[in-house]
Amino acid sequence: MKINTEINPIDLASKLQNLWSYSGAKLKNMTSSLEGAIGSPVVTVNGKYEPRSWTDWTQGFQFGSELLQYNATGDEYFLKLAIENIKTKMTSHVSHFGVHDHGFNNLSTYGNLLRLLNEGKVSNDKGLKDYCVLALQLSASVQAQRWTSLPEGGYLYSFNGPHSLFVDTIRTIRIMVAGHLLGHHSSGENDIKINLLKRAYQHALATAKYSVYYGEGRDIYDEWGRTAHEAIFNTNDGNFRSASTQQGYSGFSTWTRGLSWAMLGFAEQLEFIQSQDDLPEFEELGGKKYLEEVFFKAAKATCDFYIENTALDGIPYWDTGAPGLSNFRNWKEVNSNPYNEYEPIDSSAAAIGAQGLLRLGNYLKNENSSEANKYWSAGLTAANTLLDKPYLSNDLHHQGLILHSIYHQPNGWDYKPENSNIPYGEACMWGDYHARELAHYLNEVIKGDSYYTFFKDIRTK
């Protein structure tokens, strides 16, 4: 990746304006075509979002996008649509014990709505505010129950079962931090009280140890900053057994969307720790300094790996070990090419990863580190590419906002155009949402009167 150190957020202002213009029309198009459909929109097929009822982990991104659209434009249509959808369709996600995705679904919806209420961007409605708080508290408690204990802590296990730690989940722990900030705890057998912040950070410590590699010789594929999608444990004794994957090429290569989840998840938790005093929960886990060191090592390593293992313009291919990459050995030295013959791009990884780079840069800026500009500029470089052709779609007949994303390459779940060897030209709900979230983040930076975090305006006022 070639980092443009001259670019500034204000340089992206016109591209951000374009994004919100296209975004509104695409949301209306999607809403109309999905009326009466069962399941959540996941990916586009030939330009149209298709619903699937497989964990429904993308429903919150759909309605969260409506809230971000309202936030950016002030168009009441999207606020009313989002509130109606949240009230009628999100309750089951709050009480869903079968997934590790609560931070995706419920912070995107109830969390964004509560933020807008607390910021005064939605008329003060105590009933609506209390409704959001209760939903977030319950969601955090339900998420915390999905727990596998290890001798030194534990982790929130994936939908594969108690043996499985997914790297993705590092970003869903936000829901438990939010629940803690809202004064809640979870309860277990014999009325044992479970501290939500402590459990979230026990999970983060396990992810940093088992899902992120640091070039320290764990195996012959150990490289600074690479990630494994899945860590497998023996649940009888808590021992780590192997690296694995569900959506990547192998457990010994790096699925780039999982990498991006780690980049963003650790960076935003660093920002949270930086904003807090040395809390009792921090002390129980080794202290604020220790947690910052562990999280910073993981964030820096993954961001470094992204920079070193993505195309020149900051957009990655779907897996750094994808076998077809051997057919064009200079793929890191040229701009990304979603129309190549060998391996697909995953633009959704860039939408997530760009924000991770920016947040790490911001954290380091507040630490007065000389490295801050490297990551800040890298995030802006990736965002600058993502917010333009061929990634940002200006075709209002196509419901996707960010093109050339991948859902599940090994299973062949992505639409492949006729006469193409690879999927391209389609969008996904999480990629579109995170592009909108990235745009919201940059809008706030440009305005200069706020800095968007998941925790800043979560408490009721």
Side-chain angles (χ1 to χ4, degrees):
M1 178 178 178
K2 184 178 181 180
I3 300 173
N4 181 354
T5 57
E6 301 300 318
I7 195 168
N8 292 300
I10 192 64
D11 299 326
L12 303 181
S14 62
K15 291 185 177 183
L16 295 170
Q17 195 170 18
N18 286 339
L19 177 142
W20 293 118
S21 175
Y22 305 146
S23 169
K26 288 170 181 289
L27 285 171
K28 288 180 179 179
N29 186 340
M30 178 179 64
T31 298
S32 175
S33 70
L34 288 173
E35 192 170 349
I38 298 174
S40 305
V42 180
V43 293
T44 61
V45 176
N46 212 9
K48 303 292 183 185
Y49 265 109
E50 288 197 350
R52 296 188 186 185
S53 293
W54 185 64
T55 78
D56 279 344
W57 74 285
T58 59
Q59 189 104 74
F61 295 142
Q62 178 188 2
F63 308 148
S65 289
E66 295 161 0
L67 290 170
L68 290 175
Q69 187 69 27
Y70 166 73
N71 198 158
T73 65
D75 188 335
E76 293 278 344
Y77 166 85
F78 293 104
L79 176 63
K80 292 175 182 176
L81 180 65
I83 291 174
E84 177 64 20
N85 281 328
I86 290 168
K87 286 182 174 180
T88 59
K89 299 174 183 174
M90 287 303 298
T91 305
S92 62
H93 297 290
V94 173
S95 60
H96 197 334
F97 282 86
V99 297
H100 56 270
D101 300 316
H102 282 251
F104 295 145
N105 265 322
N106 297 319
L107 264 182
S108 303
T109 48
Y110 299 101
N112 268 323
L113 183 53
L114 180 59
R115 174 181 61 80
L116 288 166
L117 284 158
N118 285 337
E119 289 176 348
K121 293 171 182 173
V122 173
S123 298
N124 187 32
D125 181 332
K126 188 176 186 306
L128 186 59
K129 190 178 288 190
D130 290 346
Y131 171 71
C132 290
V133 169
L134 181 60
L136 291 168
Q137 290 173 327
L138 294 177
S139 178
S141 181
V142 170
Q143 186 72 110
Q145 293 295 320
R146 199 169 180 80
W147 189 249
T148 293
S149 293
L150 298 176
E152 72 278 21
Y155 59 87
L156 301 168
Y157 60 85
S158 82
F159 51 58
N160 278 344
H163 63 286
S164 170
L165 164 61
F166 272 9
V167 71
D168 322 21
T169 312
I170 187 61
R171 202 180 189 222
T172 207
I173 65 169
R174 302 186 307 157
I175 193 70
M176 294 158 67
V177 179
H180 175 82
L181 290 174
L182 293 170
H184 200 56
H185 64 263
S186 192
S187 297
E189 300 293 336
N190 297 304
D191 204 28
I192 293 174
K193 290 180 172 54
I194 298 165
N195 185 293
L196 294 169
L197 178 59
K198 182 178 178 181
R199 180 153 285 192
Y201 279 13
Q202 285 176 314
H203 174 89
L205 290 170
T207 302
K209 181 175 181 179
Y210 296 108
S211 301
V212 182
Y213 288 73
Y214 304 101
E216 297 171 349
R218 281 178 59 186
D219 54 46
I220 66 170
Y221 302 103
D222 189 345
E223 182 180 353
W224 172 257
R226 88 162 194 87
T227 57
H229 181 190
E230 186 177 29
I232 302 292
F233 294 83
N234 181 333
T235 56
N236 291 324
D237 60 13
N239 277 317
F240 171 76
R241 298 309 305 151
S242 64
S244 185
T245 189
Q246 296 299 301
Q247 290 165 261
Y249 176 65
S250 84
F252 300 102
S253 64
T254 296
W255 174 54
T256 53
R257 190 160 79 248
L259 173 72
S260 294
W261 290 130
M263 293 162 63
L264 179 50
F266 281 112
E268 65 185 355
Q269 293 305 330
L270 279 172
E271 290 183 315
F272 175 75
I273 294 173
Q274 193 176 57
S275 73
Q276 303 295 308
D277 296 325
D278 202 349
L279 303 176
E281 292 82 6
F282 295 169
E283 283 299 307
E284 291 178 36
L285 294 172
K288 178 178 178 179
K289 184 173 183 293
Y290 169 72
L291 290 171
E292 278 195 284
E293 288 173 352
V294 173
F295 291 7
F296 174 67
K297 184 179 180 181
K300 177 176 168 55
T302 52
C303 286
D304 285 345
F305 188 89
Y306 185 98
I307 291 169
E308 292 300 318
N309 292 276
T310 196
L312 206 64
D313 56 5
I315 311 297
Y317 290 82
W318 73 280
D319 192 293
T320 61
L325 291 178
S326 64
N327 290 293
F328 49 117
R329 297 181 182 276
N330 68 335
W331 61 271
K332 299 179 191 178
E333 300 163 16
V334 296
N335 287 340
S336 57
N337 176 14
Y339 309 108
N340 75 86
E341 299 179 12
Y342 305 110
E343 295 290 354
I345 292 287
D346 188 2
S347 60
S348 74
I352 300 160
Q355 196 182 152
L357 290 162
L358 290 165
R359 290 191 182 279
L360 179 59
N362 176 71
Y363 168 82
L364 288 170
K365 199 179 301 182
N366 291 335
E367 294 291 312
N368 297 312
S369 170
S370 60
E371 289 190 293
N373 192 55
K374 170 187 174 181
Y375 300 103
W376 183 256
S377 295
L380 291 175
T381 300
N384 188 45
T385 304
L386 191 72
L387 297 172
D388 208 341
K389 295 178 181 178
Y391 296 105
L392 181 65
S393 171
N394 62 0
D395 179 359
L396 301 186
H397 297 291
H398 196 302
Q399 293 175 357
L401 183 63
I402 300 294
L403 303 181
H404 313 304
S405 65
I406 284 293
Y407 185 15
H408 205 311
Q409 173 70 357
N411 278 1
W413 285 357
D414 298 274
Y415 178 74
K416 189 185 297 184
E418 190 175 352
N419 300 321
S420 174
N421 293 327
I422 65 165
Y424 68 82
E426 303 298 339
C428 63
M429 204 69 255
W430 60 91
D432 286 359
Y433 173 84
H434 280 87
R436 293 178 176 109
E437 190 177 78
L438 173 64
H440 171 68
Y441 175 94
L442 290 170
N443 280 340
E444 295 290 286
V445 169
I446 291 169
K447 286 190 297 184
D449 58 355
S450 182
Y451 181 85
Y452 168 62
T453 67
F454 75 91
F455 55 86
K456 182 174 70 69
D457 290 303
I458 204 72
R459 287 192 179 98
T460 54
K461 297 176 182 177

